[in-house]
Amino acid sequence: KIKTQGQAWVKKKKEEAKENLTAQVSKIEKQGKAWIDNKTKEAQKHKTYGENWVNTLVAEEKKKRTKQVEAELAKIKNQSEQWIANKTAEVKKKKELGEKYVNDLVVNAKKKTTEKALTEVAKIQLQGQEMIKTQKAAAEKHANEQYSKIKKEGDKWIESKTAQAKAASK
């Protein structure tokens, strides 16, 4: 009877330890997923901020270049017709080159911003997965230690009760 009680007690403690481990692992996984989600949102904010910043720079650069071109055109109109035709062609070419230059800057800046954001997201996901793995291993180790401790206590209790029962039966 004592042995059965002891085994039932050990079994109960084992189930409690198992349920505790499952709850800890679930909690750690939820925390890890929430951490990954937060870091992903943060990286997306940085990406959006970078894109907005690039778009603002582009708009300012286009305005500046357009004003420069318009000023040059106004000067050119005051001179001879041939000179006007030559200068208009030069300015137009400069404007096209300037716009191409700005467009190239935009493409490169957007590409770099996107690559950086993707790299950050991947790094954050790896960190989150590593954190979950580490926490899970620590929880399992703790649960195994608790189980061993409880089993030893249960074994001692069974031995003690068995010895008392033998002594009482003599």
Side-chain angles (χ1 to χ4, degrees):
K1 181 180 174 182
I2 292 170
K3 185 175 180 183
T4 304
Q5 286 176 340
Q7 288 172 341
W9 183 82
V10 168
K11 184 177 179 182
K12 180 182 172 194
K13 290 297 182 179
K14 185 177 178 182
E15 287 298 317
E16 287 174 2
K18 190 175 182 180
E19 288 172 9
N20 187 24
L21 172 64
T22 302
Q24 285 178 340
V25 167
S26 176
K27 181 180 174 186
I28 289 166
E29 286 175 344
K30 283 179 187 173
Q31 288 172 340
K33 286 176 185 173
W35 186 81
I36 288 170
D37 289 345
N38 286 340
K39 291 297 179 178
T40 301
K41 286 176 188 171
E42 214 174 277
Q44 184 61 41
K45 276 190 213 170
H46 288 298
K47 179 181 181 250
T48 303
Y49 175 79
E51 288 173 350
N52 291 342
W53 180 72
V54 167
N55 290 338
T56 302
L57 288 178
V58 168
E60 289 173 3
E61 187 68 19
K62 282 183 178 179
K63 273 188 215 173
K64 189 169 116 181
R65 289 188 184 274
T66 300
K67 286 179 183 176
Q68 289 172 349
V69 168
E70 289 170 356
E72 284 186 44
L73 286 173
K75 287 180 198 174
I76 290 169
K77 285 182 181 178
N78 295 330
Q79 299 175 5
S80 71
E81 290 299 316
Q82 184 59 43
W83 192 78
I84 289 172
N86 291 342
K87 280 294 181 183
T88 301
E90 281 181 35
V91 169
K92 192 174 180 182
K93 189 174 181 179
K94 284 181 182 178
K95 182 181 177 191
E96 288 171 1
L97 288 173
E99 287 175 349
K100 184 184 181 314
Y101 174 73
V102 169
N103 287 338
D104 289 348
L105 282 176
V106 170
V107 168
N108 287 336
K110 282 184 178 179
K111 187 176 177 183
K112 285 180 184 176
T113 302
T114 300
E115 287 172 1
K116 185 175 180 183
L118 290 175
T119 302
E120 281 296 313
V121 167
K123 191 165 79 174
I124 288 164
Q125 287 175 338
L126 284 175
Q127 288 173 344
Q129 289 168 355
E130 191 60 35
M131 182 186 76
I132 289 170
K133 193 166 87 177
T134 302
Q135 293 294 322
K136 187 176 179 181
E140 286 174 352
K141 180 181 176 192
H142 179 72
N144 287 337
E145 288 170 355
Q146 291 298 314
Y147 170 74
S148 291
K149 183 179 171 186
I150 290 167
K151 186 173 181 333
K152 284 179 186 174
E153 288 174 12
D155 289 346
K156 282 181 183 175
W157 185 81
I158 290 169
E159 284 177 28
S160 165
K161 293 297 178 182
T162 303
Q164 286 175 7
K166 283 181 183 177
S169 68
K170 286 186 179 180

